[in-house]
Amino acid sequence: MLLHGYLPAILGGLQSTVSVAGTSLVIACVFGMIGAAAKLSSARTPRVVAETYTTIIRGVPDLVLMLLIFYGGQIAINEVADYYGWGYIDIDPFIAGTMTMGFIYGAFLTETFRGAIMAIPRGQIEAGQAFGLTRCEVLRRITLPQMVRHALPGFTNSWLVMLKASALVSIIGLDDMVHRANLASAATRKPFTFYATIALIYLALTTISILALRWVESRYSHGVRKVEFR
Amino acid sequence: MIDWSVIVDSIPAFLKGLQTTMLLLVLSCGAGFLMSVPLAVARVSPNPWLSKPVWLFTYVLRGTPLLVQMFMVYYGLAQFEAVRESFVWPFLRDAWFCAWLVFTLNTTAYTTEIFAGALRATPSGELEAARACGLSEAAIYRRILLPSALRRALPQYGNEVVMLMHATAIASTVTLVEITRVARDIYYNHLSPIESFGVVAVIYFVLTFGMAGLFKLAERRFLRHLRPVASGVA
């Protein structure tokens, strides 16, 4: 019997791991864009808030942040709910977990996106405005497409870190691949088999991600001439 | 809002946990450094029999979650009769040893790639000059390549050490009582996330920026030749 009959359970966990990591990535991108916009803002307050956000996140391990935001957030939300008399709110661990991961890795993407926006020559944005494009059009047609190319290396890196960090959500009670492996190990007393299996699956996921993002990078760099060293 | 008595009462436990965290960090960081220098030299070698195995090692270690590696070693290896009967079993049944082993291997993988990158970035003129002076290959590594590559790697290496310090929080999952475990125990006893995780977050924050400061000092010392020329010259 393949994996003592636990293969479907592990694959179910894989689905959950991918959806946790994928959802967190989307949330992280939102936080990252807001953070980058705030850091590049001409107003002082958003800059200070964004700077505080990225500094704190970088100074604390992701596991600790996860525990703090997950348990602390739950209590904070329920204190608010108590105040307004809504009764006890049970927060879905998937939402809490992905929001937490997104919030943490949004700080890393903030730096990536900020660098990518700064790498676009200012004249291009001015030219767009001179042609009478709205701010939204400038963002959609000039800034974003070029940002992708500059942001991809940092983005790839953050995604790989996030994919691996998603293993930590098993600690705050999400039913991901690691959690499934824990259960299967306990039931069969074959922990190595299961942990080695999921390690290989993670390795496959990182390999696929690297190859896919390398392809995307080559697509977005079509019009760019590389420096040729001699 | 914040129950200060919980924090005050837990100071001794946090201090003890801090000792464990720092010891884990120093021991795995030291062993990782010693291993990654020769591995980085092998990684950049033109001989595929040397470079490919190192590539595979770093690829696997960097491509899988640290938590899974930890579980594989601490919970996993006991599955094999041969391991349980071998002379290494007294070590491998010990959470301390397993955590140290996993952190060492993990940081070795990342550090090897950092050092290998720094070696590849050596200006080719330095190497040519060393060869022209008739230095032996060993002397070239000892006196030219490694000193300049390790210096170049310093900023990235500092990052890696901070990441390793953050990674030691994972040891809390295998019964080791370092600061994150202390915080988790306090949380389970008092159900107060701010007094437990908030405090440990502050500790990590202070440690992170303390270490970043130390590396800044080291950079000032070892990378003095790369600093922009002081004003007044141009």
Side-chain angles (χ1 to χ4, degrees):
Chain A
M1 207 51 180
L2 212 50
L3 287 177
H4 308 274
Y6 278 93
L7 184 66
I10 298 285
L11 291 181
L14 167 65
Q15 205 184 2
S16 154
T17 287
V18 170
S19 60
V20 166
T23 312
S24 311
L25 180 69
V26 174
I27 298 170
C29 283
V30 174
F31 276 113
M33 280 309 285
I34 297 172
K39 277 206 171 183
L40 294 170
S41 156
S42 49
R44 206 180 126 79
T45 323
R47 278 207 314 267
V48 172
V49 171
E51 196 60 49
T52 316
Y53 165 54
T54 54
T55 308
I56 290 178
I57 299 283
R58 269 181 300 162
V60 182
D62 37 14
L63 174 62
V64 173
L65 280 170
M66 223 175 261
L67 294 167
L68 178 64
I69 300 174
F70 185 71
Y71 293 115
Q74 212 137 22
I75 285 184
I77 286 179
N78 272 304
E79 247 164 47
V80 172
D82 215 34
Y83 183 78
Y84 289 104
W86 295 335
Y88 186 77
I89 299 178
D90 199 19
I91 299 159
D92 182 58
F94 180 84
I95 295 173
T98 49
M99 284 300 283
T100 310
M101 289 252 300
F103 183 68
I104 297 171
Y105 290 96
F108 293 88
L109 287 180
T110 295
E111 298 299 343
T112 305
F113 291 160
R114 189 182 69 104
I117 292 173
M118 279 167 58
I120 298 169
R122 178 96 204 119
Q124 294 197 8
I125 294 163
E126 281 165 10
Q129 283 164 347
F131 271 107
L133 297 183
T134 62
R135 285 183 76 154
C136 199
E137 279 172 328
V138 169
L139 181 74
R140 195 164 51 87
R141 306 191 58 164
I142 296 175
T143 318
L144 278 181
Q146 299 194 81
M147 240 187 88
V148 174
R149 175 163 59 89
H150 293 295
L152 265 173
F155 181 83
T156 306
N157 208 22
S158 295
W159 161 247
L160 293 178
V161 174
M162 237 170 97
L163 183 62
K164 288 181 282 169
S166 77
L168 297 176
V169 296
S170 61
I171 295 173
I172 52 174
L174 250 81
D175 184 27
D176 75 327
M177 200 157 58
V178 178
H179 184 244
R180 296 283 173 96
N182 290 342
L183 296 178
S185 308
T188 59
R189 295 176 175 255
K190 296 259 188 293
F192 192 85
T193 313
F194 289 104
Y195 293 130
T197 306
I198 63 168
L200 284 177
I201 298 177
Y202 276 111
L203 196 60
L205 288 177
T206 35
T207 307
I208 295 168
S209 309
I210 292 172
L211 293 177
L213 286 160
R214 199 178 284 166
W215 179 78
V216 174
E217 200 172 342
S218 75
R219 294 257 333 157
Y220 274 92
S221 310
H222 259 336
V224 183
R225 213 163 52 185
K226 286 222 176 67
V227 183
E228 283 174 42
F229 293 105
R230 279 174 215 277
Chain B
M1 186 81 174
I2 295 176
D3 188 352
W4 290 97
S5 69
V6 173
I7 298 178
V8 172
D9 287 345
S10 57
I11 289 175
F14 270 122
L15 285 179
K16 252 194 119 194
L18 190 60
Q19 253 177 357
T20 309
T21 296
M22 292 316 279
L23 201 59
L24 261 177
L25 173 66
V26 169
L27 291 181
S28 32
C29 188
F33 180 84
L34 291 181
M35 272 166 56
S36 45
V37 172
L39 283 177
V41 172
R43 178 81 175 85
V44 297
S45 155
N47 179 355
W49 291 102
L50 279 176
S51 66
K52 289 291 172 207
V54 180
W55 169 81
L56 186 68
F57 166 75
T58 63
Y59 190 72
V60 171
L61 268 286
R62 296 188 312 152
T64 51
L66 181 61
L67 182 72
V68 176
Q69 295 167 12
M70 186 67 82
F71 285 177
M72 241 167 108
V73 171
Y74 183 64
Y75 298 115
L77 288 178
Q79 179 180 330
F80 303 106
E81 184 92 32
V83 174
R84 271 178 285 146
E85 279 172 12
S86 74
F87 70 97
V88 290
W89 182 235
F91 295 107
L92 287 177
R93 63 194 285 187
D94 179 40
W96 234 108
F97 180 82
C98 287
W100 171 77
L101 181 71
V102 171
F103 291 143
T104 300
L105 291 178
N106 200 271
T107 187
T108 299
Y110 285 95
T111 312
T112 298
E113 288 299 332
I114 291 173
F115 288 170
L119 277 171
R120 285 194 204 100
T122 307
S124 54
E126 281 185 21
L127 196 59
E128 279 165 21
R131 291 212 173 106
C133 289
L135 290 180
S136 68
E137 281 302 308
I140 289 176
Y141 267 105
R142 205 179 64 243
R143 308 199 46 174
I144 310 291
L145 290 181
L146 287 175
S148 92
L150 293 183
R151 279 186 163 85
R152 240 190 324 273
L154 198 56
Q156 268 185 296
Y157 184 67
N159 264 342
E160 168 54 26
V161 175
V162 169
M163 299 282 249
L164 177 63
M165 195 259 290
H166 288 182
T168 58
I170 302 275
S172 66
T173 58
V174 291
T175 72
L176 264 189
V177 189
E178 40 68 74
I179 43 179
T180 304
R181 182 78 255 172
V182 172
R184 289 173 75 180
D185 290 342
I186 294 169
Y187 174 74
Y188 292 128
N189 288 335
H190 300 278
L191 290 179
S192 48
I194 302 299
E195 289 83 340
S196 52
F197 301 129
V199 170
V200 80
V202 171
I203 299 178
Y204 277 115
F205 190 81
V206 171
L207 285 177
T208 302
F209 286 93
M211 269 160 56
L214 285 181
F215 272 97
K216 274 267 147 32
L217 284 180
E219 276 173 41
R220 205 183 287 174
R221 160 103 174 66
F222 291 110
L223 297 176
R224 174 164 299 176
H225 57 294
L226 295 180
R227 254 161 70 192
V229 182
S231 59
V233 174

